[in-house]
Amino acid sequence: MCNYLLRISCIHHSFVVFQLPEALLQERDKRAKWHGIPELLQKLHESSHPNSDLSHTHSVLKELSSLLSMEAMSFVTEDRKSAQESTFPNTYTFDLFGGVDLLVEILMRPTLTIPSLRTPKKKESSCLPFLYKHSLIVKSLPKCSQTEGVTKSLAARDDFVLFLFTLMTNKKTFLQTATLIEDILGVKKDMIQLEGIPNLSGLVQSFDQQQLANFCRILSVTISEPDVRNDDKHTLLAKNAQQKRNASPSRAEVNQVTLLNIPGFIERLCKLATRKVSEATGASNFLQELEDWYTWLDNALVLDALMQMATEEAEHNESSMATSPLRHRLPQSMKIVHEIMYKVEVLYVLCVLLMGRQRNQVHKMLAEFRLIPGLNNLFDKLIWRKYTSSDHVVHGQNENCDCSPEISFKIQFLRLLQSFSDHHENKYLLLNSQELNELSAISLKANIPEVEALVNTDRSLVCDGKKGLLTRLLVVMKREPPDSSFRFWQARAVESFLRGATSYADQMFLLKRGLLEHILFCIIDSGCKSRDVLQSYFDLLGELMKFNIDAFKRFNIYVSTEDKFQTFMTQINSSLVDSNMLVRCIVLSLDRFESQTEDVKVVEVLSECCLLSYMARVENRLSFLFRLVNVINVQTLTQENVSCLNTSLVVLMLARRRGKLPFYLNTLREKEYAEKYPGCLLNNFHNLLRFWQRHYLNKDKDSTCLENSSCIPFDYWKETVSVLLGSDRTSLCAIASYIDEPFMDLDRDLLED
C-alpha cells in the first residue's frame, strides 16, 4: 500500500511532496531496503525549483549517484554476467518513485522558463553533472522490462530527444548525453529526422575529433535502414511490395543527404579514419594489456567514462575503479583502443553512405580526401597487425556481433573496401602507381586496350608505398587461419574489385599473386566447413576465372588428380545456392571458348581441362539447370538466391543461341514425369520468370550488372524471358507448350496484386 501511495505521488513530470509522515517513510524505507532514495528524491524536488540554489540540487544528485553508480559500473566490469542476471534494486526504486521523470523535468526546465528567470550560467553549470548520473541509470539496466519502460517513455518525447542534442555542445556533458541519445534511439519506433535538430551543421562543426567520432555512433542509427526482423520481409516479393508503398525516399536516405550537406563533414571523417596513432613509450606492452581487459568494455562511450574517471580526481571517490591497479594502466592503453573504437564507428558511417543513393558524390569526396591511401598507410601498424590472440572469437558476417574492438575494426575496414570497389571505377585507387603500370603492361602484352577506368584514374590519389591496399589484403588473406571467418570478408572485398565488366588485366594481376591456388586450397584442401566462407570463395573464383583461359589452365594444374576434382565437385554440389555463380562462370566461359577454336591455347585447354570437359557434357548442364529451377520459388526468392534464377536463364539463353532451347525444355518436361510430379517444375519456372519481368524491368532497377557480368546484352535477357513466357502453345520455345493441359496454371495467383 505504501508503494502505491508513494508511486502515485509522482504524476508525469511533476513531483508532488510526499504526504506521508517522515517516521513512517523511514520505517517503510528500512523494511523495503530503499536506501533512502525516496527521501533523497523528495529533497531533490524541493531544491530544484527554478530560483533555488542549485548547489543543493547538485549535492543531492551526488548522493543519489553514489547509490546508482555501483550498479551502473557492475554492468561493464568483470561482474557483467552476474549483473545481467540480477536485479537493480536502487535503480528500480529510483524510477519507481519518479526519479527519471524528475530529472527530465529539471533538465527541460531551463527551456520552459522565460530568459529573465533562467538560472545564471555559473549556477546552471553546477546542475549539469546530473545528466551523467541519469545516463548511467539507463546504461546500467539490463535489457529487461524496466529498462525498456524507462527508455521507451523517454523516446516517446520528441521534444526531449531533440533537446538532448543541444546539450552536446557542452563538453562536460557530451559523453553522457551521447550515451543517453544512443540508448533512446535504440528503442525509438520512428527514426529521428536529422534536419529537425536545431543548428545541426553548427553542432557538428563545433565537435572536436573525439566527439565527432562518438557522434558517429548516433549517426549510424539515423542513416541505416531499420533492420526488418520478420524473415518474410527479406524476400524480394515483400521488398518489391514495400517499395511500391513507399515510393518516396526513406527517412534514413533523407538523413544521409542532410549529413552530406554539412560543410567539411566527410573530410573530417576521412581524417579521423586515417589519423595515425602516436606510439607512446612502452607501447610494446599494449597488446598484452589489451588482452587483459578489453573484453569487459561495453563500448567506446564506456571506455571514455573510464578515462574520465581515471583522470578527474574529483570523481575518484565515486568509483571503485579508483583503487584498482587497472587504473594506472588505463590511459596508455586507452589511447590506441580509443582510436580503434572510433575508427569502427567512422568506417561504418562511411560504408553506409557509400551504399546509399548519393554514392557517386560520396565516392568523389572519399577519393579527393585520400581515404584509401590513408588507410593503406595504417594497414600494417593498426588495421592488420600480426598479433591476433588465438583466444579471440571471430564471428560470422553479422557486423553487429559482440566482437572485440580489433575484430570489429577489421570487419568494418573490409566492408568499406567492398563497398568502395563494387562496380565503381574508383577501385583502381586501391593500387599504387607501379601496380597501375603493371596492369597497363598486362593489357599491352595481351594486345587488348586498357579499360577506360584505369586510364582515367588520377594517380595523385592512389596508394603510396611499395604495396597498394589490394596487394596488402592479398598477403594477409593467404596467411589467415583456415577456420577464420575473416576469410569471408576478405574474399568479398577482393571479389568486389573484380565485379562489373570483366577485365583480363585485373584477373591476371591477381592470378600472378597466387590467388587462384589459394582459393582452390581453401575449397579442396583446407577442410573449411563454413558455408559462408565457401560461398565467398566460390563467388571470387567465378569472377577470377570468367572468360580467362589462363585461369582454367592454372585450375587444371592445381586440380591434377581425380580425387581433387571429385572433392571440388562435391563442394559445388553440396549447396548450389552458394556455388551457382561459379557454375554460371564455367558455362559462360565454355560457350566463349568453344567459339575461339582458331586459338591454339584455347583448343589445348578445352581438351585438357577437367572442369570444362565436365561442363561440356549436356547431361551435366541439364542436371544443374533442373536443380537450379527446383531449389527456389517466388515466395522464397531473396537477394541471396535470386542468382540461381539468373544462372538458369544464362544456361537457357546460351541454348537458345545455338537453337537448342526446345531440347532443354523438353528434357525438363521428361524429368518432371520421371520424378512423378508433372507440371510442377515448369509451372514454378513460369512463375519465377513472371516475377523476373516485374523485378528487373522496373524503371528503378539497375540491370547493367546482369549485362556486364554475363557479356550478354540485357535486351537478349528480356527477349528470352518473353519467348519463354509466350502464350502460344504451338511455340517450341514457350514453357506453356511443355505443360500438359491438366497441369496448367498451377499457383497462377502467386503474383496477382
Side-chain angles (χ1 to χ4, degrees):
M1 184 63 177
C2 287
N3 273 355
Y4 174 74
L5 290 173
L6 290 172
R7 180 57 175 158
I8 63 172
S9 67
C10 172
I11 305 174
H12 293 293
H13 302 95
S14 298
F15 197 92
V16 181
V17 178
F18 292 109
Q19 299 299 317
L20 294 176
E22 185 177 347
L24 178 59
L25 179 62
Q26 290 176 349
E27 171 62 24
R28 188 69 185 93
D29 185 301
K30 186 176 180 181
R31 289 172 56 194
K33 296 182 179 180
W34 289 334
H35 299 110
I37 290 175
E39 192 174 355
L40 285 170
L41 287 174
Q42 181 181 5
K43 291 179 182 178
L44 179 61
H45 174 263
E46 292 170 349
S47 67
S48 62
H49 294 299
N51 295 320
S52 303
D53 182 353
L54 291 183
S55 61
H56 294 297
T57 305
H58 180 251
S59 175
V60 177
L61 280 168
K62 197 170 183 181
E63 195 171 347
L64 280 167
S65 174
S66 66
L67 293 169
L68 300 171
S69 59
M70 279 196 300
E71 289 183 0
M73 291 309 299
S74 68
F75 185 66
V76 295
T77 59
E78 62 273 13
D79 297 324
R80 179 173 180 173
K81 284 187 178 179
S82 58
Q84 285 178 308
E85 296 162 2
S86 65
T87 58
F88 290 77
N90 291 348
T91 304
Y92 174 78
T93 304
F94 182 86
D95 181 44
L96 177 67
F97 292 107
V100 173
D101 293 328
L102 179 57
L103 285 183
V104 171
E105 182 189 346
I106 298 171
L107 179 60
M108 295 288 289
R109 191 175 290 150
T111 66
L112 301 176
T113 57
I114 58 176
S116 60
L117 295 179
R118 290 190 64 176
T119 309
K121 277 190 176 180
K122 189 173 181 181
K123 289 188 176 180
E124 187 178 52
S125 66
S126 68
C127 187
L128 292 175
F130 80 82
L131 180 62
Y132 170 57
K133 319 308 175 187
H134 186 197
S135 68
L136 281 180
I137 297 165
V138 180
K139 201 66 181 175
S140 69
L141 292 172
K143 298 297 181 185
C144 61
S145 58
Q146 288 94 336
T147 304
E148 283 194 22
V150 171
T151 316
K152 284 182 177 178
S153 65
L154 295 176
R157 292 192 55 177
D158 288 339
D159 59 337
F160 175 67
V161 177
L162 292 175
F163 176 74
L164 285 177
F165 281 93
T166 67
L167 294 180
M168 298 183 83
T169 56
N170 189 301
K171 196 162 187 176
K172 291 183 179 179
T173 57
F174 173 88
L175 174 62
Q176 293 74 36
T177 310
T179 308
L180 188 53
I181 292 174
E182 187 184 348
D183 287 334
I184 289 174
L185 294 185
V187 300
K188 193 168 174 60
K189 289 183 178 179
D190 53 330
M191 187 178 291
I192 191 171
Q193 200 157 341
L194 290 179
E195 59 186 6
I197 298 173
N199 190 23
L200 176 66
S201 180
L203 176 69
V204 173
Q205 289 175 326
S206 72
F207 292 153
D208 60 29
Q209 291 294 75
Q210 180 173 313
Q211 289 173 323
L212 181 61
N214 263 327
F215 191 58
C216 284
R217 295 182 67 89
I218 294 170
L219 293 181
S220 65
V221 180
T222 66
I223 63 174
S224 303
E225 296 294 347
D227 181 31
V228 186
R229 302 193 182 282
N230 190 337
D231 287 341
D232 291 340
K233 299 292 184 183
H234 289 296
T235 67
L236 292 181
L237 201 62
K239 285 183 178 180
N240 288 353
Q242 188 176 22
Q243 286 173 357
K244 272 187 181 179
R245 292 191 299 268
N246 306 322
S248 56
S250 67
R251 183 160 286 190
E253 291 170 333
V254 172
N255 285 342
Q256 291 175 23
V257 174
T258 300
L259 285 181
L260 292 175
N261 288 335
I262 297 177
F265 175 72
I266 296 296
E267 182 177 10
R268 290 188 66 190
L269 290 193
C270 288
K271 286 181 179 177
L272 262 174
T274 58
R275 183 174 65 180
K276 292 184 178 180
V277 182
S278 59
E279 296 182 4
T281 305
S284 58
N285 297 324
F286 159 71
L287 294 172
Q288 187 55 48
E289 292 181 20
L290 179 64
E291 179 69 10
D292 289 343
W293 56 264
Y294 81 81
T295 51
W296 53 258
L297 294 174
D298 185 34
N299 56 39
L301 295 173
V302 170
L303 188 54
D304 280 338
L306 292 172
M307 282 193 73
Q308 184 171 312
M309 285 186 287
T311 55
E312 294 182 12
E313 293 296 324
E315 297 295 320
H316 285 172
N317 61 348
E318 296 181 19
S319 170
S320 59
M321 294 289 295
T323 57
S324 169
L326 176 63
R327 175 186 167 273
H328 301 293
R329 296 191 293 157
L330 284 176
Q332 176 181 315
S333 301
M334 281 180 178
K335 191 165 189 178
I336 299 179
V337 179
H338 256 177
E339 198 68 33
I340 290 175
M341 287 180 164
Y342 291 158
K343 288 185 191 303
V344 170
E345 307 304 331
V346 172
L347 293 183
Y348 179 81
V349 169
L350 290 176
C351 190
V352 172
L353 293 174
L354 265 177
M355 296 187 291
R357 291 194 180 188
Q358 314 301 316
R359 186 187 187 208
N360 287 333
Q361 179 187 352
V362 177
H363 246 291
K364 184 178 179 181
M365 289 191 282
L366 297 187
E368 178 186 347
F369 301 132
R370 296 180 56 81
L371 174 69
I372 298 302
L375 291 175
N376 187 47
N377 292 333
L378 287 177
F379 190 87
D380 290 331
K381 289 190 176 179
L382 188 66
I383 297 174
W384 222 278
R385 296 171 294 179
K386 291 182 180 179
Y387 173 89
T388 301
S389 169
S390 58
D391 296 330
H392 289 186
V393 178
V394 182
H395 296 257
Q397 65 265 36
N398 176 13
E399 64 272 15
N400 296 316
C401 69
D402 184 20
C403 300
S404 75
E406 196 166 8
I407 290 172
S408 297
F409 184 35
K410 290 177 179 179
I411 290 175
Q412 287 304 336
F413 165 76
L414 293 171
R415 291 181 73 239
L416 179 73
L417 286 196
Q418 178 185 350
S419 303
F420 187 86
S421 302
D422 192 17
H423 293 90
H424 203 281
E425 60 185 15
N426 275 351
K427 68 180 185 179
Y428 290 109
L429 298 183
L430 271 64
L431 309 181
N432 63 21
S433 292
Q434 288 180 326
E435 291 164 347
L436 292 179
N437 292 338
E438 183 180 340
L439 286 178
S440 300
I442 293 171
S443 298
L444 181 64
K445 183 179 179 180
N447 196 27
I448 57 176
E450 293 182 68
V451 295
E452 189 177 349
L454 176 60
V455 175
N456 294 336
T457 297
D458 184 345
R459 297 203 170 208
S460 68
L461 302 176
V462 301
C463 292
D464 309 314
K466 295 181 179 179
K467 295 176 184 175
L469 200 46
L470 180 65
T471 303
R472 291 182 189 277
L473 178 57
L474 290 175
V475 171
V476 299
M477 184 177 178
K478 289 195 280 188
R479 293 174 181 168
E480 203 64 39
D483 57 347
S484 168
S485 57
F486 279 138
R487 285 177 177 268
F488 171 87
W489 296 105
Q490 291 164 341
R492 282 282 179 259
V494 177
E495 183 209 343
S496 68
F497 180 81
L498 291 170
R499 284 183 197 156
T502 303
S503 166
Y504 174 80
D506 293 352
Q507 292 172 323
M508 292 306 299
F509 179 85
L510 296 173
L511 286 170
K512 288 170 65 176
R513 285 156 176 78
L515 180 60
L516 183 135
E517 288 78 10
H518 170 71
I519 296 172
L520 293 175
F521 169 79
C522 293
I523 294 173
I524 299 172
D525 301 316
S526 72
C528 176
K529 303 295 184 185
S530 167
R531 294 314 314 176
D532 292 328
V533 172
L534 286 172
Q535 180 189 353
S536 66
Y537 273 85
F538 284 137
D539 291 347
L540 175 54
L541 187 61
E543 292 292 342
L544 186 63
M545 294 180 67
K546 192 190 303 174
F547 307 130
N548 192 309
I549 197 68
D550 297 284
F552 280 90
K553 186 173 183 178
R554 282 173 174 256
F555 175 93
N556 211 49
I557 292 172
Y558 188 91
V559 186
S560 55
T561 66
E562 182 63 22
D563 285 345
K564 279 193 172 185
F565 181 69
Q566 288 304 322
T567 301
F568 181 76
M569 292 309 301
T570 299
Q571 291 282 43
I572 287 180
N573 288 314
S574 63
S575 179
L576 203 53
V577 172
D578 297 333
S579 62
N580 84 89
M581 294 295 289
L582 176 58
V583 171
R584 189 192 307 182
C585 145
I586 302 167
V587 170
L588 285 166
S589 300
L590 175 65
D591 182 75
R592 176 175 292 190
F593 297 154
E594 287 179 340
S595 66
Q596 298 174 336
T597 51
E598 72 285 352
D599 189 320
V600 177
K601 183 200 283 187
V602 171
V603 173
E604 179 187 341
V605 175
L606 270 174
S607 63
E608 294 178 356
C609 180
C610 53
L611 188 58
L612 291 172
S613 298
Y614 181 88
M615 198 60 75
R617 292 195 283 275
V618 177
E619 64 271 21
N620 290 333
R621 292 202 298 277
L622 282 165
S623 174
F624 278 123
L625 176 63
F626 179 82
R627 290 161 56 208
L628 285 166
V629 176
N630 212 26
V631 78
I632 51 175
N633 58 57
V634 172
Q635 295 98 327
T636 61
L637 274 182
T638 64
Q639 202 62 50
E640 279 292 304
N641 62 28
V642 72
S643 57
C644 291
L645 175 56
N646 290 321
T647 298
S648 66
L649 262 176
V650 165
V651 174
L652 292 177
M653 281 190 292
L654 298 180
R656 182 180 171 226
R657 273 185 184 173
R658 302 192 176 204
K660 298 287 184 67
L661 186 55
F663 171 75
Y664 276 66
L665 293 176
N666 188 59
T667 304
L668 289 179
R669 179 181 182 276
E670 291 176 353
K671 182 72 171 174
E672 280 186 331
Y673 274 87
E675 298 288 339
K676 294 185 170 49
Y677 51 92
C680 289
L681 181 74
L682 289 174
N683 272 293
N684 180 51
F685 193 41
H686 196 276
N687 283 326
L688 285 166
L689 293 180
R690 288 172 63 218
F691 172 83
W692 188 95
Q693 281 186 324
R694 294 193 181 194
H695 184 69
Y696 284 101
L697 303 186
N698 185 306
K699 63 179 181 180
D700 295 327
K701 184 70 179 178
D702 181 10
S703 304
T704 55
C705 58
L706 288 181
E707 184 171 295
N708 287 337
S709 66
S710 64
C711 289
I712 299 174
F714 190 64
D715 284 342
Y716 196 74
W717 284 78
K718 293 190 292 184
E719 186 182 303
T720 302
V721 172
S722 295
V723 167
L724 288 166
L725 291 178
S727 57
D728 182 4
R729 289 177 59 81
T730 64
S731 170
L732 294 178
C733 293
I735 293 174
S737 304
Y738 298 88
I739 305 176
D740 291 338
E741 193 68 42
F743 309 114
M744 280 293 292
D745 299 332
L746 294 177
D747 300 324
R748 167 68 75 173
D749 62 342
L750 289 176
L751 293 175
E752 299 303 327
D753 294 327

